[in-house]
């Protein structure tokens, strides 16, 4: 009898132990405001060097096409925004989303991993689409944004020292733009540019994903290819 | 390594972990409400990041940057506690295992029925506040193992103790934390007496 009692007690103790461990683990998704720390450090540390951008002839021509497409996209977006169906996010809007996050104008939650980002985003909006995994890149922050009244999950990554914003929405909420298509590994990507920013958009597993950053489109596609859905 | 390369490596490999450093510092100094404490935590995180920058030549790319930063944070915290007039770290000897065992005697078998549900009703601030009932070493153990999710060997290396110590300490500290939360849970009627 004693052995049975002991075993029951051990099992109960173990259950409580695990419950405490899980609750403590949730502190990892606690939002941390790093703006003051960043300012303190910026005053003392040398600033990182901006890497020269590798210009690609293909992207230059793409940019010209993208500028025309952007105008069409804005017109299309205006027409679509009045309906409840999928919306067309313009390249300018997506670039703005990225710049607002990187500059700190958009409040973000500091996170260390995609798992943490998904937890933090789900806490804000339970219907948030699951953000795909990104191997070997630093995950820095996340937030929810509204693009034409559609919720978009945003994750700020750092890839080879350059900030990249990954935005994810339900594929049923977003339309793919009429932008030049580039294929890589059997997956089609729509490529757009605004100023120095490139963005690649794709749809996979019912999700619309857009990667935005000051990186060549090929590098963004390479990153998109590694996404784990 | 020249300064340019050290700076590049710092921003690529170390900078992304500053939120984890600040979070750990906040829990250590219980920086939840008080502005002074919040600034203390930020100062500690700043000192840690600056020390990391100064020691970039010692960091091995490919190794765990967060673990490295936690070691620096731990040493910076110890230095601060040594030089401060106020709070001294409580030695583990002052809080032996028996204390935790005694304290749980007030719990009945059914006190923590559905423990996960009960614990999830506490806010993060409640949990951080309860962690202040633990000694500095105990708090570090739970911070590394449960909050930051490091394995026990990594935690042992950072805290410079044997793995066996981390194992026993983790179990004992979780028990102590539970005990610290018990009166609050009863007060808020999360638990019925």
């Amino acid at each position: 009898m004693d052995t049975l009692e002991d075993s029951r007690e051990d099992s109960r103790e173990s259950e409580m132990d695990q419950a405490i461990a899980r609750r403590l683990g949730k502190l990892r998704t606690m939002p941390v405001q790093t703006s003051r720390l960043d300012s303190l450090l910026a005053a003392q540390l040398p600033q990182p060097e901006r890497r020269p951008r590798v210009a690609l002839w293909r992207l230059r021509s793409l940019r010209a096409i993208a500028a025309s497409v952007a105008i069409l996209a804005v017109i299309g977006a205006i027409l679509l925004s009045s309906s409840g169906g999928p919306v067309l996010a313009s390249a300018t809007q997506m670039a703005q989303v990225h710049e607002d996050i990187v500059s700190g104008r958009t409040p973000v939650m500091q996170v260390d991993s995609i798992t943490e980002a998904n937890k933090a985003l789900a806490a804000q909006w339970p219907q948030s689409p699951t953000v795909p995994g990104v191997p070997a890149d630093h995950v820095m922050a996340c937030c929810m944004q509204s693009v034409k009244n559609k919720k978009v999950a945003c994750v700020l990554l750092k890839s080879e020292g350059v900030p990249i914003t990954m935005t994810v929405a339900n594929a049923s909420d977003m339309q793919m733009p009429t932008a030049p298509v580039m294929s890589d590994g059997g997956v089609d990507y729509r490529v757009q540019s605004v100023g120095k920013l490139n963005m690649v958009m794709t749809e996979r597993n019912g999700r619309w994903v857009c990667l935005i950053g000051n990186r060549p489109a090929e590098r963004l596609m390479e990153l998109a290819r590694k996404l784990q859905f | 390594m020249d300064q340019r390369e050290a700076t590049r490596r710092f921003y690529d490999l170390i900078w992304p972990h500053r939120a984890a450093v600040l979070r750990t510092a906040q829990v250590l100094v219980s920086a939840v409400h008080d502005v002074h404490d919040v600034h203390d935590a930020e100062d500690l995180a700043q000192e840690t990041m600056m020390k990391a920058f100064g020691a970039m030549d010692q960091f091995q790319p490919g190794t765990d940057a967060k673990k490295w930063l936690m070691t620096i944070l731990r040493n910076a915290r110890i230095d601060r506690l040594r030089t401060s007039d106020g709070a001294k770290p409580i030695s583990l000897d002052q809080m032996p295992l028996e204390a935790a065992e005694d304290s749980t005697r007030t719990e009945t078998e059914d006190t923590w029925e559905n423990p996960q549900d009960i614990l999830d009703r506490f806010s993060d601030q409640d949990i951080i506040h309860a962690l202040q009932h633990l000694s500095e070493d105990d708090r570090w153990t739970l911070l590394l193992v449960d909050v930051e999710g490091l394995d026990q060997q990594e935690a042992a290396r950072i805290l410079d103790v044997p793995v066996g110590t981390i194992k026993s300490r983790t179990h004992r500290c979780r028990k102590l934390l539970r005990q610290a939360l018990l009166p609050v849970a009863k007060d808020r009627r999360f638990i019925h007496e």
Side-chain angles (χ1 to χ4, degrees), chain B residues 49-81:
Chain B
M49 295 299 284
M50 290 306 298
K51 282 185 172 168
F53 180 74
M56 275 314 287
D57 56 335
Q58 292 164 37
F59 178 69
Q60 300 291 318
T63 59
D64 190 335
K66 188 155 99 175
K67 204 168 67 184
W68 186 63
L69 277 168
M70 289 297 160
T71 308
I72 298 173
L73 174 63
R74 162 94 170 145
N75 292 334
R77 170 76 171 161
I78 288 171
D79 289 347
R80 281 181 174 230
L81 288 171

Side-chain angles (χ1 to χ4, degrees), chain A residues 94-110 140-145 152-157 163-167 212:
Chain A
M94 296 316 296
Q96 192 65 50
V97 167
H98 170 76
E99 280 170 357
D100 286 350
I101 292 173
V102 172
S103 65
R105 283 192 292 271
T106 298
V108 294
M109 295 171 283
Q110 301 291 327
M140 303 200 295
C142 67
C143 64
M144 289 303 303
Q145 284 282 76
V152 177
C154 304
V155 176
L156 182 63
L157 313 165
I164 307 281
T165 300
M166 171 166 61
T167 56
I212 314 154

Side-chain angles (χ1 to χ4, degrees), chain A residues 2 16 30 35-36 57 72 74 86 99 108 119 121 125 138 143-144 156 166 171 177 179 182 203 207 211:
Chain A
D2 278 353
M16 290 200 273
M30 181 175 75
S35 52
R36 185 172 175 270
W57 67 269
L72 290 172
V74 170
E99 280 170 357
V108 294
K119 276 187 198 167
L121 292 167
W125 186 45
H138 292 301
C143 64
M144 289 303 303
L156 182 63
M166 171 166 61
M182 291 173 86
E203 270 184 21
R207 275 165 282 177
L211 291 167

Side-chain angles (χ1 to χ4, degrees), chain B residues 114-126:
Chain B
N114 301 320
Q116 198 65 64
D117 292 346
I118 296 167
L119 289 166
D120 284 344
R121 294 175 74 179
F122 287 104
S123 68
D124 288 346
Q125 292 171 4
D126 292 331

Side-chain angles (χ1 to χ4, degrees), chain A residues 132-210:
Chain A
V134 192
D137 278 286
H138 292 301
V139 181
M140 303 200 295
C142 67
C143 64
M144 289 303 303
Q145 284 282 76
S146 181
V147 176
K148 295 202 167 172
N149 292 326
K150 300 289 184 186
K151 293 262 194 184
V152 177
C154 304
V155 176
L156 182 63
L157 313 165
K158 198 168 193 186
S159 180
E160 296 175 56
V162 178
I164 307 281
T165 300
M166 171 166 61
T167 56
V168 184
N170 292 319
S172 56
D173 283 344
M174 306 301 280
Q175 266 204 339
M176 292 298 270
T178 322
V181 179
M182 291 173 86
S183 290
D184 185 27
V187 179
D188 285 348
Y189 300 92
R190 308 285 171 139
V191 183
Q192 293 182 288
S193 302
V194 173
K196 291 181 175 177
L197 290 176
N198 285 317
M199 57 196 81
V200 299
M201 294 181 198
T202 189
E203 270 184 21
R204 277 165 74 185
N205 294 47
R207 275 165 282 177
W208 169 91
V209 180
C210 177

Side-chain angles (χ1 to χ4, degrees), chain A residues 69-121:
Chain A
V69 169
I71 296 166
L72 290 172
V74 170
I75 297 166
I78 292 165
L79 292 171
L80 279 167
S81 61
S82 55
S83 71
V87 297
L88 185 61
S90 72
T92 318
Q93 275 177 314
M94 296 316 296
Q96 192 65 50
V97 167
H98 170 76
E99 280 170 357
D100 286 350
I101 292 173
V102 172
S103 65
R105 283 192 292 271
T106 298
V108 294
M109 295 171 283
Q110 301 291 327
V111 287
D112 292 332
S113 65
I114 290 293
T115 310
E116 283 182 27
N118 275 321
K119 276 187 198 167
L121 292 167

